[in-house]
């Protein structure tokens, strides 16, 4: 399979990299430690069209695919300024709306998602359900012309400065009465929606939140798409989520290795750069190989997704997420070790990545659930859970 970028995609990579370098890791960490958001970078990325690269042109986007958005996610991460909400607002929400939203929803939301003036969070995870979305406890019921939502969500990113949150709930199927997934666009200032911040050991401008939905009333058109869009719409957003998360991990691994390589090439001990010692150079080389191998799977997944090969893309997206999470964790740990004591300081910009890369092995789907998926769907083993 050919993963070569088009000339336009190569130009996009260079341009996004240049934008990221103008901000850099110091900007990112400064915002995180001040409890602020990377508002300036987000706004400039939106103005330049990078947030909307995968949104159709008729709705104000660039008309590209998930490969284009993958490039944006990876390159910003490779400069030390990852934008987590790229995974949420453009990758998940915009993809779902573009593929399964009503025309009115596309017209209302997609142009503002494309230019970054609108931010929509995404809420699926629940305290009790964990990885089992078939057991979601958030329920929506009809009450005349309105929907009423009740439930709880956890680990929801960016809801404190989002305009809406796309909530995954369950509704009663008209034919069977069984509860089936449905997605709703909930204004973050809706009556009955409250939030509580989760304290996390991750250095990031984006906080994680618990959401409480207590008799949240919504108009009929808050339901995404028609009554049958729920499960297909949900799955339409999950592969882009995994692919872009994987791209961020790959970019983070590149960033850590670049910092370490620069340090080991110039740090002098016993009259020579420490990078001349194989005990330092070989672990970095090993990590670089793992990151590059993982990157190949990221672009395989993105290519398959853009070709409409959804089943193959699902396998590749899960594999890419697994591989890049491990590679990024290895790269950051190796970079810290190569820096010695300096690796644990904020100044050298690698230990600040520890929490994020460790979280990448858990979210948005754990490595164990990916192994379950591959065992069952690739190797033909019986379901183990």
């Amino acid at each position: 399979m050919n993963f070569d970028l088009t000339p336009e995609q190569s130009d996009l990579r260079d341009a996004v990299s240049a934008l990221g370098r103008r901000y850099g890791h110091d900007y990112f960490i400064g915002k995180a430690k001040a409890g602020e958001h990377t508002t300036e970078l987000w706004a400039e990325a939106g103005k330049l069209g990078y947030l909307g690269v995968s949104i159709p042109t008729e709705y104000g986007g660039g008309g590209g695919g998930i490969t284009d958005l993958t490039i944006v996610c990876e390159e910003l991460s490779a400069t030390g300024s990852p934008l987590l909400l790229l995974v949420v607002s453009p990758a998940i929400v915009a993809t779902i709306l573009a593929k399964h939203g009503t025309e009115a929803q596309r017209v209302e939301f997609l142009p503002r998602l494309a230019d970054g003036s609108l931010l929509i969070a995404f809420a699926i995870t629940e305290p009790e359900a964990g990885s089992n979305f078939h057991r979601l406890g958030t329920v929506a019921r009809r009450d005349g012309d309105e929907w009423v939502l009740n439930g709880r969500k956890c680990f929801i990113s960016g809801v404190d400065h989002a305009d809406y949150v796309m909530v995954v709930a369950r509704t009663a199927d008209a034919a069977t009465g069984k509860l089936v997934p449905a997605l709703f666009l909930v204004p973050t200032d809706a009556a009955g929606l409250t939030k509580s911040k989760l304290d996390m050991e991750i250095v990031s401008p984006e906080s994680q939140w618990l959401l409480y939905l207590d008799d949240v009333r919504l108009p009929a058109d808050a339901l995404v798409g028609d009554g049958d869009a729920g499960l297909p719409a949900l799955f339409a957003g999950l592969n882009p989520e995994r692919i872009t998360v994987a791209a961020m991990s790959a970019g983070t691994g590149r960033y850590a290795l670049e910092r370490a390589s620069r340090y080991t090439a110039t740090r002098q001990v016993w009259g020579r750069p420490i990078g001349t010692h194989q005990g330092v150079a070989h672990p970095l080389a090993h990590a670089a190989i793992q990151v590059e191998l993982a990157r190949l799977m990221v672009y395989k997944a993105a290519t398959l997704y853009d070709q409409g090969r959804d089943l193959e893309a699902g396998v590749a997206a899960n594999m890419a997420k697994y591989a890049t999470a491990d590679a990024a964790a290895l790269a950051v740990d190796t970079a810290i070790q190569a820096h010695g004591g300096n690796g644990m300081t904020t100044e050298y910009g690698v230990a600040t990545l520890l929490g994020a890369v460790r979280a990448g092995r858990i979210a948005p789907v754990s490595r164990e659930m990916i192994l379950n998926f591959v065992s069952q769907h690739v190797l033909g083993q019986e379901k183990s859970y």
Side-chain angles (χ1 to χ4, degrees):
M1 182 175 291
N2 183 5
F3 307 134
D4 290 343
L5 300 182
T6 66
E8 293 78 13
Q9 288 171 333
S10 294
D11 290 342
L12 175 65
R13 183 182 293 284
D14 292 341
V16 174
S17 179
L19 172 65
R21 288 195 303 272
R22 284 201 286 108
Y23 286 86
H25 196 58
D26 288 344
Y27 164 82
F28 179 86
I29 291 302
K31 289 289 185 179
K33 293 195 171 183
E36 299 174 354
H37 302 296
T38 49
T39 306
E40 300 86 355
L41 177 54
W42 182 269
E44 189 164 357
K47 182 179 179 181
L48 293 170
Y50 303 151
L51 303 182
V53 288
S54 60
I55 292 175
T57 55
E58 59 266 37
Y59 302 108
I66 290 300
T67 300
D68 300 83
L69 189 59
T70 295
I71 290 169
V72 176
C73 289
E74 183 187 2
E75 291 308 313
L76 288 177
S77 298
T79 64
S81 291
L83 290 178
L84 174 61
L85 293 183
L86 278 169
V87 173
V88 178
S89 205
I92 301 175
V93 173
T95 300
I96 289 172
L97 289 175
K99 291 194 170 190
H100 295 281
T102 64
E103 179 61 16
Q105 288 168 344
R106 295 188 190 108
V107 169
E108 179 179 359
F109 295 111
L110 288 179
R112 291 186 290 155
L113 287 171
D115 66 19
S117 60
L118 179 72
L119 183 63
I120 301 181
F122 183 73
I124 181 171
T125 306
E126 295 184 358
E128 287 78 21
S131 298
N132 187 359
F133 75 85
H134 293 290
R135 297 191 63 184
L136 293 179
T138 301
V139 176
R141 61 178 176 82
R142 290 300 297 259
D143 184 15
D145 292 332
E146 294 182 315
W147 290 98
V148 181
L149 270 64
N150 283 280
R152 289 193 300 162
K153 298 291 181 179
C154 63
F155 299 117
I156 310 305
S157 304
V159 72
D160 54 323
H161 60 123
D163 304 281
Y164 288 81
V165 56
M166 183 179 283
V167 174
V168 183
R170 295 198 297 165
T171 66
D173 180 81
T176 66
K178 293 182 179 179
L179 293 176
V180 295
L183 284 71
F184 295 88
L185 288 163
V186 181
T188 51
D189 61 356
L193 177 65
T194 57
K195 62 184 183 294
S196 175
K197 185 177 178 181
L198 286 164
D199 291 328
M200 306 289 291
E201 296 299 326
I202 299 173
V203 183
S204 172
E206 305 305 336
S207 299
Q208 301 296 311
W209 298 84
L210 284 165
L211 295 187
Y212 306 91
L213 299 103
D214 297 308
D215 288 334
V216 175
R217 288 190 168 271
L218 302 170
D221 61 5
L223 175 67
V224 174
D226 57 34
D228 298 323
L231 197 57
L234 177 59
F235 279 111
L238 294 184
N239 283 339
E241 175 192 46
R242 283 153 174 69
I243 294 167
T244 49
V245 163
M248 289 181 65
S249 292
T252 298
R254 287 172 51 200
Y255 169 81
L257 291 170
E258 188 275 331
R259 294 294 295 250
S261 299
R262 193 189 325 158
Y263 180 82
T264 56
T266 56
R267 169 69 167 163
Q268 295 269 339
V269 178
W270 293 298
R272 61 194 308 189
I274 62 174
T276 60
H277 301 292
Q278 292 179 351
V280 175
H282 283 188
L284 290 173
H286 172 66
I289 291 169
Q290 300 309 306
V291 169
E292 191 61 24
L293 289 172
R295 289 183 72 220
L296 289 174
M297 185 55 75
V298 174
Y299 285 93
K300 176 179 180 178
T303 299
L304 288 168
Y305 186 88
D306 287 339
Q307 291 175 350
R309 296 159 66 177
D310 291 341
L311 291 177
E312 295 168 275
V315 172
N318 277 286
M319 289 183 172
K321 192 272 174 187
Y322 182 101
T324 54
D326 278 5
L330 174 66
V332 170
D333 186 67
T334 305
I336 291 171
Q337 192 69 24
H339 280 79
N342 286 333
M344 295 305 297
T345 68
T346 301
E347 177 185 356
Y348 284 83
V350 285
T352 47
L353 305 169
L354 268 173
V357 295
R358 188 60 187 85
R361 302 178 81 193
I362 300 170
V365 58
S366 72
R367 63 200 307 274
E368 290 76 19
M369 287 304 297
I370 292 175
L371 292 175
N372 285 334
F373 177 89
V374 172
S375 297
Q376 181 181 349
H377 296 284
V378 178
L379 302 179
Q381 305 304 301
E382 289 189 15
K383 189 174 181 179
S384 62
Y385 59 97

